[in-house]
Amino acid sequence: GAGVSQSPSNKVTEKGKDVELRCDPISGHTALYWYRQSLGQGLEFLIYFQGNSAPDKSGLPSDRFSAERTGGSVSTLTIQRTQQEDSAVYLCASSLVAGYSNQPQHFGDGTRLSIL
Amino acid sequence: DAKTTQPNSMESNEEEPVHLPCNHSTISGTDYIHWYRQLPSQGPEYVIHGLTSNVNNRMASLAIAEDRKSSTLILHRATLRDAAVYYCILRAEYNNNDMRFGAGTRLTVKP
C-alpha cells in the first residue's frame, strides 16, 4: 500500500515480557517518527530518525525503550520488561524530510499495546 | 512551546459548514499553524497548514486572523465521515521534529 504500515495492529502481553513493534514508512520518506497515545490523551513524542543521522531519542520515557531503523526504511520500537503503564497506542509517522514545517507527517493506524 | 486552545467538543449537522476555532495568542512569527484530525481507531491525518494567508485544499479551508493569534478550520459541508478529533498545532519553522498534540476538539456530525 501507499501509506505507513504498522504491525501488529494489536498486541497483548504479560508484564515483564519484551515486545517489538514494526513500522514500514512511505517509500522515499527519509524521516520517521514514533509517538504513543494513551487512552483519551494527545500524542507523546518518543523518537525520530532522519536519514543516516543519529536519532533524536529525547522523548523516550526510560531506558527500557529503544528503536532502530534498518537501511533507512523499516523501523522497530522495542520495549523491554514491559510495565502496565506502557499500555497505549504506539503510532509511527513518516515525512519526506524532517525539520521543515511545510512537511506534513503521515501516520499509520498504530499498534494497540495492552500489558496484563 | 507556543500553546493552542480549542473547545473540547462541537456539534454540526450533516451538509452544513463547520467552523472549528483555535486560539494561539503566544504564536511566534515563524510558527506554522497545522491542523490534523483523528478518526476513531485510526492514526492522525494531515488536513491543512498555513503561515499568514488563508489556505484552501480539497479537504478544508484555513482562515488565519490578521494578528495570527487565532485561526479557524472550515469544513464547507460536513459529512458523517468528518466526525473526528481535530487538532490545531503550532510548528516552529525549523527544528520542529516532534508535534505536540493537545486534547483537540471532538466534532460530532448529526445526520
Side-chain angles (χ1 to χ4, degrees):
Chain A
V4 176
S5 177
Q6 292 188 246
S7 61
S9 54
N10 286 283
K11 177 73 176 179
V12 180
T13 192
E14 293 179 347
K15 177 181 170 182
K17 300 284 189 184
D18 298 351
V19 294
E20 275 192 1
L21 312 179
R22 177 186 169 106
C23 173
D24 283 271
I26 293 173
S27 178
H29 280 195
T30 62
L32 186 147
Y33 310 78
W34 283 98
Y35 296 85
R36 74 177 174 183
Q37 186 172 33
S38 300
L39 186 63
Q41 302 296 313
L43 271 67
E44 175 188 2
F45 166 75
L46 298 177
I47 187 171
Y48 101 92
F49 298 86
Q50 170 58 52
N52 295 321
S53 302
D56 177 353
K57 304 179 183 180
S58 60
L60 294 179
S62 78
D63 58 7
R64 296 186 296 105
F65 287 72
S66 63
E68 63 177 22
R69 189 178 185 193
T70 53
S73 181
V74 172
S75 176
T76 55
L77 177 69
T78 301
I79 309 173
Q80 296 178 312
R81 305 180 303 281
T82 53
Q83 303 294 314
Q84 287 186 332
E85 62 262 29
D86 299 334
S87 296
V89 176
Y90 288 81
L91 290 156
C92 176
S94 69
S95 66
L96 275 174
V97 293
Y100 295 96
S101 278
N102 61 352
Q103 294 291 329
Q105 295 186 11
H106 301 269
F107 286 80
D109 287 336
T111 293
R112 183 174 299 277
L113 178 64
S114 299
I115 309 300
L116 302 178
Chain B
D1 293 330
K3 188 178 174 181
T4 63
T5 304
Q6 299 177 252
N8 290 334
S9 61
M10 290 185 65
E11 282 190 355
S12 173
N13 294 317
E14 196 175 10
E15 300 196 1
E16 289 186 357
V18 183
H19 290 232
L20 297 164
C22 181
N23 287 322
H24 29 78
S25 59
T26 60
I27 191 171
S28 74
T30 56
D31 284 344
Y32 282 73
I33 302 159
H34 284 245
W35 283 81
Y36 282 72
R37 71 181 186 181
Q38 188 170 21
L39 279 66
S41 300
Q42 295 187 20
E45 173 187 27
Y46 167 78
V47 177
I48 200 167
H49 78 280
L51 183 62
T52 56
S53 303
N54 295 343
V55 183
N56 300 296
N57 67 19
R58 63 174 180 80
M59 290 181 70
S61 295
L62 177 60
I64 302 173
E66 195 168 338
D67 63 4
R68 300 208 328 124
K69 294 186 176 181
S70 65
S71 60
T72 302
L73 180 71
I74 302 165
L75 307 179
H76 295 287
R77 288 183 66 199
T79 69
L80 296 178
R81 197 190 170 281
D82 291 322
V85 178
Y86 286 78
Y87 297 98
C88 169
I89 302 155
L90 300 184
R91 298 186 70 188
E93 186 176 13
Y94 300 109
N95 299 320
N96 55 31
N97 295 301
D98 63 286
M99 290 198 295
R100 300 183 188 278
F101 287 65
T105 296
R106 181 173 298 278
L107 175 66
T108 301
V109 180
K110 296 182 289 185

